Amino acid sequence: MRLKKMNRTNTTLIMLSSGIIFVLCNTDLDAFSVPTEYALQTVQALPCRRLMSCGGGAGYWEALLLSRGMNVVVFDRNDSYPEEMRHTYVITANEQYVSDEGDVNDALMLAWPDAMPDSLFGFECVKRFKGSWIVHVGELFGESITGNPWGQSTSQACQVQLAKDFRVVKRVSLPQWPHQRDSLTIWSRVSKPVECDGAVFHYVSPFPSP
């Protein structure tokens, strides 16, 4: 078992040989989803110049990735977490930041991007994104135990837009809180459709193993 302290005194990671990271902290102040060693390795393996995290909240996952040497930029509206509660620097911006600062060589991270079912934040971030890879952390359609089949983390509009131009190429299980059904998924942008013997196909880039 290995212990690792984060930059806040009330946060300790306990990493077991199984790769599960137990987080001894108030998760509402840190992250809705609990990272694992393998999940972080998977994100690090993305073939991208930089990871752009949309709605990063307190920047918990992002701080872990930065500590591993990954190039990460985080932005959020910053209307929920005061600066002293953040684990890393979080730029104050909205979805326009993806249009203004995004690059085709970036990967996009969406971790619980939508606070409400009618939110358009995640949808707009995906729509404005120019790159080929998206990391989604949270619940997806049909996987939630709540009354909303689209789940608690990501609006219907965002998930439909995501499935329009991307396909899942990698899924990583995450530790489950009793009221959540989170996972980490990697999405690859599809090519233009190609017709073959009456059927339509997309080419999807495979994901490199971490």
Side-chain angles (χ1 to χ4, degrees), residues 50 52-54 73-75 91-102 128 130:
R50 178 182 63 174
M52 176 178 284
S53 180
C54 305
V73 61
V74 194
F75 77 90
I91 298 167
T92 301
N94 58 21
E95 57 271 18
Q96 184 63 33
Y97 188 83
V98 180
S99 300
D100 295 342
E101 303 295 334
R128 295 162 189 259
K130 307 178 183 73

Side-chain angles (χ1 to χ4, degrees), residues 3-125:
L3 297 181
K4 179 180 179 183
K5 283 283 187 181
M6 289 292 290
N7 59 349
R8 279 179 41 196
T9 57
N10 68 334
T11 304
T12 302
L13 305 185
I14 301 179
M15 187 183 301
L16 304 180
S17 58
S18 62
I20 293 178
I21 302 175
F22 287 94
V23 187
L24 303 183
C25 61
N26 183 341
T27 54
D28 287 337
L29 304 182
D30 293 279
F32 287 101
S33 299
V34 181
T36 65
E37 176 67 16
Y38 186 62
L40 296 171
Q41 289 176 358
T42 298
V43 177
Q44 281 185 278
L46 283 166
C48 64
R49 178 181 66 89
R50 178 182 63 174
L51 180 67
M52 176 178 284
S53 180
C54 305
Y60 184 61
W61 281 65
E62 295 82 357
L64 291 172
L65 292 166
L66 283 164
S67 72
R68 293 161 173 260
M70 191 172 190
N71 185 10
V72 182
V73 61
V74 194
F75 77 90
D76 199 299
R77 294 186 176 120
N78 285 334
D79 53 6
S80 298
Y81 298 91
E83 187 173 353
E84 58 271 18
M85 291 170 57
R86 301 171 199 162
H87 294 279
T88 188
Y89 177 66
V90 180
I91 298 167
T92 301
N94 58 21
E95 57 271 18
Q96 184 63 33
Y97 188 83
V98 180
S99 300
D100 295 342
E101 303 295 334
D103 184 87
V104 293
N105 296 310
D106 289 337
L108 191 75
M109 183 170 180
L110 299 167
W112 282 70
D114 295 313
M116 300 297 291
D118 58 353
S119 168
L120 293 178
F121 176 76
F123 164 80
E124 289 291 346
C125 288

Side-chain angles (χ1 to χ4, degrees), residues 167 190-204:
R167 297 293 184 271
V190 298
S191 66
K192 293 182 179 179
V194 176
E195 185 174 343
C196 178
D197 196 24
V200 177
F201 295 90
H202 293 281
Y203 173 75
V204 181

